[in-house]
Amino acid sequence: QKEVEQNSGPLSVPEGAIASLNCTYSDRGSQSFFWYRQYSGKSPELIMSIYSNGDKEDGRFTAQLNKASQYVSLLIRDSQPSDSATYLCAVNNDRGSTLGRLYFGRGTQLTVWP
Amino acid sequence: DGGITQSPKYLFRKEGQNVTLSCEQNLNHDAMYWYRQDPGQGLRLIYYSQIVNDFQKGDIAEGYSVSREKKESFPLTVTSAQKNPTAFYLCASSMQGYQPQHFGDGTRLSIL
């Protein structure tokens, strides 16, 4: 059973703060890792992809991956009320027949208050 | 504009009726996926297809059927055997391998 766990939330931070979202996964064969943002009533939108250990920065977003600890995180700097959404962690394994299939966490709801 | 088009946006099903949700993509993606999302829940995989004329069951395939006759299209039929079909249905596509999936806008299905 491949599991992707996210901190349960909800997470509430003030505007301008750093929001930290965490995700752990059970399958050591996982090769690629994604963060999606989902606004209420909308479909998920890809915001970050990370494939190797370390940090990857894109604007106010930083994804961090540690394969040894089976841990991936998303930091949102200078959080804005428009960042209020549910953030989904997704993990891709390396099994031939299921290559490409993503395993999703249940999501962490983030609220940024003014 | 390249993207994934799902239709209709809202759909109502009568008891004993089969309904078909459409998903079309013009991204030239090889793989396509169907997910179900219930309120406050994560995404659950129904079916996926990595190549034309081939598809695999996901975690909750019972009561659903799919076809993949064209690379661009991956329709999902919700059959009368699916007793609790009310949910938000999401179609996604990706290139093969370790590439991310991109989602359509979804279809909301309700029972009349």
Side-chain angles (χ1 to χ4, degrees):
Chain A
Q1 179 77 16
K2 297 174 178 60
E3 293 183 353
V4 178
E5 301 284 345
Q6 295 185 241
N7 43 344
S8 56
L11 179 64
S12 181
V13 301
E15 184 174 356
I18 295 175
S20 177
L21 303 163
N22 302 315
C23 175
T24 59
Y25 58 94
S26 63
D27 186 356
R28 284 196 172 274
S30 299
Q31 294 293 328
S32 50
F33 307 85
F34 308 102
W35 283 98
Y36 289 84
R37 177 176 63 199
Q38 187 175 24
Y39 291 115
S40 181
K42 302 296 185 182
S43 62
E45 171 194 10
L46 178 71
I47 55 171
M48 288 290 284
S49 306
I50 188 165
Y51 300 92
S52 55
N53 282 329
D55 294 359
K56 179 182 178 183
E57 187 174 317
D58 184 0
R60 296 186 295 111
F61 298 100
T62 299
Q64 300 174 317
L65 175 62
N66 184 327
K67 289 186 179 180
S69 300
Q70 295 174 238
Y71 174 89
V72 58
S73 66
L74 180 70
L75 299 177
I76 306 175
R77 291 183 302 280
D78 188 24
S79 296
Q80 301 296 311
S82 58
D83 295 326
S84 299
T86 296
Y87 289 80
L88 301 171
C89 173
V91 174
N92 185 320
N93 71 5
D94 69 345
R95 303 295 184 264
S97 64
T98 61
L99 187 65
R101 174 178 171 166
L102 289 182
Y103 295 85
F104 284 86
R106 293 167 67 93
T108 299
Q109 185 177 344
L110 171 66
T111 299
V112 181
W113 44 276
Chain B
D1 267 345
I4 302 167
T5 302
Q6 289 189 244
S7 62
K9 195 177 176 84
Y10 299 95
L11 186 58
F12 298 91
R13 194 192 88 169
K14 295 179 182 177
E15 290 288 337
Q17 185 183 41
N18 293 350
V19 293
T20 297
L21 285 61
S22 170
C23 179
E24 304 275 334
Q25 55 97 1
N26 61 3
L27 301 169
N28 199 32
H29 284 171
D30 298 305
M32 297 186 74
Y33 310 82
W34 274 106
Y35 295 90
R36 168 180 173 143
Q37 187 174 39
D38 294 281
Q41 302 296 312
L43 302 178
R44 291 188 289 169
L45 183 65
I46 305 172
Y47 269 99
Y48 63 107
S49 168
Q50 295 176 313
I51 194 170
V52 174
N53 292 323
D54 188 44
F55 48 82
Q56 288 78 41
K57 292 182 179 179
D59 300 322
I60 55 164
E62 186 174 348
Y64 300 97
S65 66
V66 293
S67 63
R68 187 87 187 274
E69 297 177 0
K70 298 186 299 182
K71 186 175 183 178
E72 304 78 21
S73 178
F74 191 40
L76 173 74
T77 296
V78 183
T79 74
S80 57
Q82 172 51 246
K83 297 307 180 188
N84 184 23
T86 298
F88 187 37
Y89 289 86
L90 290 158
C91 178
S93 70
S94 71
M95 295 301 289
Q96 284 286 13
Y98 302 119
Q99 300 304 310
Q101 294 176 16
H102 299 273
F103 288 84
D105 290 338
T107 293
R108 292 195 180 277
L109 176 61
S110 302
I111 292 184
L112 278 177

